Amino acid sequence: MRIKHLDRKVIHIWRQRAEITNLIFWVLIAGLIFATFFFHWPYFIHFISGGLVLLTLLHLIIFVYVVPPIRYRTYFYAIRQQDLLIQEGVFIISQTVIPLSRVQNVETEQGPLLRKHGLTAVSITTAADTHGIPALNEAEAVSLRDQISELIKENAAYEV
């Protein structure tokens, strides 16, 4: 069993996603502050706005600077002969073992942020759930998809 990690560029992608989310929070808070002054809402709304500003700053610090490197270090996957092992998590680490005999579909997908960094996500679908490997080099993702497909065919041949 050879453990493989994600591409290191995924840290930048996770940070960019958190920054986009944080930007949306800032726009909503700015709208609340503007509405408070424009509509002359009660004074306690200013305290609520201040609390939201502090929470948004906390979100920025945690999800842009703290969580991505930890998430990268704890995330790995391994392809074994009969199954696929995925470990992920930051505060709660979970390991998922996906028997290859249960895999129904393997897909690669690329969003705008992944495409910008030359990465691809791989999703593995079973009857119960869809599991993903969020960011691999494009060539590695295609190779992984093909390797899982071949292992599925081999395991199906042994079951008959």
Side-chain angles (χ1 to χ4, degrees):
M1 174 176 79
R2 189 169 150 242
I3 293 174
K4 297 180 182 178
H5 289 276
L6 301 175
D7 193 296
R8 188 139 183 90
K9 295 178 200 170
V10 73
I11 295 172
H12 300 294
I13 292 171
W14 287 332
R15 284 183 174 156
Q16 288 174 346
R17 287 179 182 166
E19 289 167 352
I20 291 169
T21 303
N22 210 282
L23 180 65
I24 292 169
F25 289 158
W26 284 114
V27 168
L28 293 174
I29 291 170
L32 177 65
I33 291 171
F34 175 76
T36 302
F37 286 114
F38 186 74
F39 295 115
H40 305 291
W41 286 352
Y43 192 70
F44 72 90
I45 301 292
H46 296 286
F47 292 115
I48 293 173
S49 300
L52 290 174
V53 166
L54 290 176
L55 287 174
T56 305
L57 282 173
L58 183 65
H59 177 271
L60 179 72
I61 292 167
I62 291 174
F63 288 98
V64 173
Y65 298 107
V66 176
V67 171
I70 297 170
R71 189 174 174 196
Y72 173 77
R73 281 192 304 268
T74 59
Y75 196 104
F76 70 82
Y77 68 96
I79 300 176
R80 302 184 286 197
Q81 189 61 32
Q82 301 295 322
D83 56 25
L84 172 68
L85 171 69
I86 299 176
Q87 176 180 300
E88 60 186 328
V90 175
F91 302 111
I92 298 172
I93 307 285
S94 67
Q95 287 188 342
T96 306
V97 177
I98 306 166
L100 293 176
S101 60
R102 302 285 184 212
V103 174
Q104 294 178 343
N105 195 18
V106 182
E107 295 178 337
T108 54
E109 32 191 61
Q110 235 183 5
L113 286 176
L114 289 173
R115 191 175 310 113
K116 177 184 171 192
H117 292 282
L119 301 175
T120 302
V122 178
S123 62
I124 299 104
T125 306
T126 63
D129 203 1
T130 299
H131 306 278
I133 300 172
L136 297 173
N137 184 319
E138 289 181 31
E140 188 177 349
V142 170
S143 171
L144 176 66
R145 180 192 65 200
D146 295 342
Q147 184 180 4
I148 292 173
S149 296
E150 288 300 318
L151 287 171
I152 292 169
K153 289 175 189 174
E154 288 177 17
N155 288 333
Y158 291 130
E159 289 180 3
V160 174

